[in-house]
DNA sequence: TTTCAACACGAAAACGTTTTCGCAAATAAT
DNA sequence: ATTATTTGCGAAAACGTTTTCGTGTTGAAA
């Protein structure tokens, strides 16, 4: 077992001081050609690599980003992680992932754990429970400790930080517009309980599209589904809810769903009821995941560009981290209270597939 | 901006030494009741939490696990991560995620980056490129540095470490058995090029099942699909390949696919060709992901229990890490070469849905 | 009164770096 | 020959902990 070699060991072996080794390895002009050569050769031979932890302690920065998301087995979130990882890697950062599991407490614990020196900044999406409780003190506490946060997708005005969001309103608007233009007269909305702002915005987009076309918004055509904790098993309930909904409202000829699961389930149910898609009913979903791509018929969706969201979030965070560096170097620490934070909106895009005409 | 408080600051403020503060906070009997109270109160007030990096440096362990996977936007891998995170959290560890993107070089870079003190051990699944190259020196180098590795799913005999694998052989065997018992006479196999051992094992299970039932294995019924780099766009190619395959072999009445994408695509194509599922053709896929669950008809699959794989991997790794601790404490470092490594096999389970009778 | 524990605390080392400063020797300028 | 400057290197501090080993004070035992 060859443990990693340290500066001290090299120094001892070559009979020079630690400082000399350090300088030689960084190519300092202070050290003579000769010794530099000798030390570098030795270091290469023993595959010396500086210890990251020691560097982190010395520099008081870890070059690590903490990602905190509600759930990882989820297409959208994993694409976001991929985006974050991509730019983080490129810019010399690592990512450490925490899962809140939609729980307020786990969110707090995870943050406190990582905020104790393990990471330089956070990229996160708020858990449902936190949104329900509307308790955001842990975010503000973290920020006031000097640890910047970037929130994505599920964000909240009460916290002053950079944000990257999907243009949920316009995404929904565009989707419903398309349904209308495609000739749909009675467009249903399949949505969740709207304490998650995201759902609320999509509903607003739906309503606005109808209004723009002078279509009366019939509240009977809006089905709100309770997406409580045990989502996994609720698939049958989901199906029967949609089934009954379609039975009661036989005039529906277009469906806009706020996620792809609702959309494909609606297609499934509709087909069982004898509807042809897209001939009798056209369907558009939000979120462009595997399901949409491989459903039969494949689903027209509003793509959220998760990877792009991740990239932008990472860039925003790292930009701020490195800006802070400069400020600190200048011994000029600006009053953060008037720092202007960026809210970046990522445009959606409609991916047309077989579920619309 | 309230930066985190340190022992030194508390010491200065309360006019005691750093050692006293440290001891008081850990409840040492050395310190008087009075001072202990005073110090603890002060620490609580200022929300003191020890700096993780400093602790890591001192203890020479980070309580962090490095996960290295080929791809994160992938149902199986994200369930594994979820499993790892779950037990890691419970046992006091964090996880830091690296993506190899199926690239040999990125795998190496990521490992070297994290091996410099950032993590105590690795849990990883080998990238395709590495498997092709059959170059495993970086794994062995890491291990001989004293950093344990646990490999899952895509493992390799050439590296001496703990492994957690799916019982691919028996999973395939059971699946094909079921097709046979359900009356299928001409069972096709949809597989990939088999440099990934996983695919090879599934093929062997398929062949064994046929053999057990004295069915002649017709090589015409095996379709090997080239799953090269640009998988995303290959969906049309996949469809046409399967289309032609089914046209040429009209007797096929059962399909076993080594992943769910091939399975649902096969269903899609078959239905376009006028087959009824499961009446004319029954289909079973490997990997129980979202697609299987929500396809129409829903797909019977061999579940790999990704979360369980993650949990077991994490337990194996942490067990070994903490066993090493004890050995080191004893100043008795065993010769690792004769350490016996565990290969844990996770049994598969068939989830029956609508694509089989 | 002297001796000895017990008590309460501080100094210092260690983990592995980087960096500032100081200092001797060698070279250059006067 | 004397002073000034460069060159090449080492000592030490610092990052924030924990822990070992002193050490001075107190109260009790001799």
């Amino acid at each position: 077992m060859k443990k990693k070699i340290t500066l001290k060991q090299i120094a001892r072996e070559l009979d020079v001081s630690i400082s000399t080794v350090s300088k030689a390895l960084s190519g300092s002009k202070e050290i003579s050609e000769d010794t530099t050569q000798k030390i570098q050769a030795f270091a290469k031979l023993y595959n010396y690599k500086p210890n990251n932890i020691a560097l982190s302690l010395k520099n008081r920065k870890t070059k690590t980003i903490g990602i905190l998301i509600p759930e990882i087995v989820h297409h959208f979130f994993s694409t976001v992680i991929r985006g974050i990882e991509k730019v983080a890697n490129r810019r010399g950062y690592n990512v450490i992932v925490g899962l809140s599991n939609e729980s307020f407490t786990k969110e707090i614990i995870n943050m406190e754990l990582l905020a104790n020196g393990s990471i330089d900044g956070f990229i996160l999406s708020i858990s449902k429970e936190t949104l329900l409780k509307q308790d955001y003190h842990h975010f503000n506490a973290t920020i006031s400790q000097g640890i910047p946060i970037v929130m994505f997708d599920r964000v909240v005005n009460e916290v002053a930080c950079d944000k990257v969001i999907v243009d949920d309103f316009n995404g929904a608007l565009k989707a419903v517009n398309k349904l209308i233009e495609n000739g749909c007269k009675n467009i249903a909305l399949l949505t969740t309980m709207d304490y998650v702002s995201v759902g609320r915005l999509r509903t607003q987009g739906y309503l606005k599209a109808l209004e723009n076309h002078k279509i009366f918004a019939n509240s009977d055509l809006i089905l709100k589904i309770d997406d409580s904790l045990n989502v996994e098993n609720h698939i049958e309930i989901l199906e029967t809810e949609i089934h009954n909904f379609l039975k009661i409202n036989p005039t529906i000829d277009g469906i806009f769903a706020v996620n792809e699961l609702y959309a494909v389930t609606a297609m499934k149910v509709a087909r069982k009821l004898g509807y042809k898609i897209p001939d009798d009913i056209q369907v558009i979903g939000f979120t462009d995941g595997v399901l949409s791509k491989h459903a039969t018929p494949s689903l027209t969706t509003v793509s959220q560009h998760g990877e792009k969201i991740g990239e932008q979030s990472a860039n925003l965070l790292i930009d701020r981290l490195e800006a802070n560096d400069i400020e600190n170097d200048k011994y000029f620490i600006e009053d953060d209270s008037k720092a202007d934070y960026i809210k970046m909106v990522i445009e959606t895009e409609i991916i047309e597939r077989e579920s619309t005409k």
Side-chain angles (χ1 to χ4, degrees), chain A:
Chain A
M1 176 143 79
K2 295 168 181 293
K3 278 260 174 227
K4 288 204 79 67
I5 198 171
T6 69
L7 287 187
K8 194 194 278 196
Q9 292 170 44
I10 299 183
R12 195 184 308 138
E13 215 66 31
L14 262 44
D15 211 50
V16 291
S17 80
I18 297 181
S19 354
T20 305
V21 178
S22 174
K23 288 169 188 165
L25 289 178
S26 66
S28 161
K29 289 224 61 180
E30 272 185 60
I31 308 299
S32 75
E33 192 77 11
D34 265 12
T35 19
T36 302
Q37 291 274 320
K38 191 176 58 176
I39 292 175
Q40 288 190 346
F42 191 89
K44 192 149 296 165
L45 180 62
Y46 283 90
N47 191 33
Y48 170 79
K49 296 277 167 53
N51 180 305
N52 249 324
I53 298 290
L55 283 179
S56 295
L57 184 59
K58 179 114 195 46
N59 302 331
R60 279 126 116 245
K61 68 180 66 135
T62 61
K63 291 269 180 183
T64 301
I65 295 174
I67 302 182
L68 197 46
I69 53 175
E71 169 63 85
I72 196 167
V73 187
H74 195 297
H75 188 265
F76 174 66
F77 285 124
S78 41
T79 53
V80 174
I81 294 188
R82 188 209 256 158
I84 296 175
E85 214 264 351
K86 191 164 138 193
V87 344
N89 248 27
R90 175 158 36 83
R91 299 184 67 171
Y93 284 74
N94 279 317
V95 302
I96 169 164
V97 173
L99 308 179
S100 72
N101 237 62
E102 304 286 13
S103 144
F104 176 67
T105 326
K106 269 208 75 180
E107 191 171 87
I108 293 188
I109 292 181
N110 257 306
M111 286 201 80
E112 289 187 344
L113 222 62
L114 297 181
N116 295 321
S118 302
I119 52 105
D120 294 341
F122 279 107
I123 297 178
L124 60 85
S125 194
I126 308 178
S127 83
K128 282 187 192 169
E129 202 188 345
T130 306
L131 288 170
L132 265 172
K133 276 190 136 77
Q134 306 195 31
D135 180 347
Y136 311 121
H137 76 274
H138 49 307
F139 301 133
N140 289 318
T142 306
I143 291 170
S144 78
Q145 262 176 45
I147 300 180
I149 293 180
V150 174
M151 293 188 175
F152 71 88
D153 196 49
R154 299 179 187 170
V155 307
V156 108
N157 284 329
E158 286 86 338
V159 182
C161 65
D162 292 321
K163 287 152 196 161
V164 180
I165 54 172
V166 179
D167 191 352
D168 289 289
F169 177 81
N170 279 309
L173 185 84
K174 282 193 283 186
V176 178
N177 271 347
K178 167 159 262 337
L179 288 174
I180 296 173
E181 286 158 15
N182 282 5
C184 295
K185 300 295 176 200
N186 295 290
I187 300 174
L189 171 67
L190 262 44
T191 183
T192 58
M193 301 300 175
D194 52 21
Y195 57 92
V196 178
S197 59
V198 156
R200 197 165 44 240
L201 286 169
R202 292 176 193 169
T203 302
Q204 286 169 10
Y206 162 84
L207 294 172
K208 182 68 178 173
L210 296 184
E211 184 191 324
N212 285 351
H213 290 79
K214 313 233 185 308
I215 300 176
F216 176 67
N218 180 353
S219 67
D220 288 350
L221 294 186
I222 298 182
L223 178 59
K224 287 198 184 188
I225 294 152
D226 183 10
D227 61 337
S228 313
L229 307 169
N230 38 356
V231 199
E232 295 297 327
N233 293 355
H234 273 199
I235 176 84
E236 289 87 15
I237 298 176
L238 181 62
E239 285 188 18
T240 47
E241 280 214 46
I242 296 178
H243 181 97
N244 296 337
F245 178 68
L246 290 179
K247 279 283 217 184
I248 297 173
N249 302 285
T251 60
I252 290 173
D253 55 2
I255 297 178
F256 171 61
V258 299
N259 60 47
E260 61 172 6
L261 178 58
Y262 290 1
V264 299
T265 308
M267 290 203 298
K268 190 171 192 168
V269 172
R271 280 170 49 198
K272 270 190 190 143
L273 288 171
Y275 291 100
K276 293 265 176 261
I277 294 169
D279 303 318
D280 303 332
I281 297 187
Q282 301 183 51
V283 183
I284 299 187
F286 221 99
T287 297
D288 185 43
V290 263
L291 269 184
S292 314
K293 210 170 295 168
H294 301 291
T296 26
S298 57
L299 181 68
T300 296
T301 56
V302 181
S303 166
Q304 303 171 90
H305 295 154
E307 192 159 346
K308 196 167 180 182
I309 292 179
E311 292 171 25
Q312 299 284 16
S313 303
N315 276 321
L316 278 177
L317 182 64
I318 298 178
D319 285 350
R320 195 166 287 276
L321 287 173
E322 303 192 336
N324 284 348
D325 281 359
I326 295 169
E327 282 180 21
N328 287 343
D329 284 357
K330 281 196 283 188
Y331 275 79
F332 166 65
I333 299 171
E334 211 174 314
D335 182 6
D336 264 25
S337 59
K338 54 175 173 175
D340 38 353
Y341 291 103
I342 294 172
K343 180 184 256 181
M344 190 169 277
V345 179
I346 306 292
E347 289 304 321
T348 57
E349 178 192 2
I350 295 198
I351 314 271
E352 291 193 54
R353 298 211 183 82
E354 302 163 351
S355 67
T356 50
K357 289 183 193 167

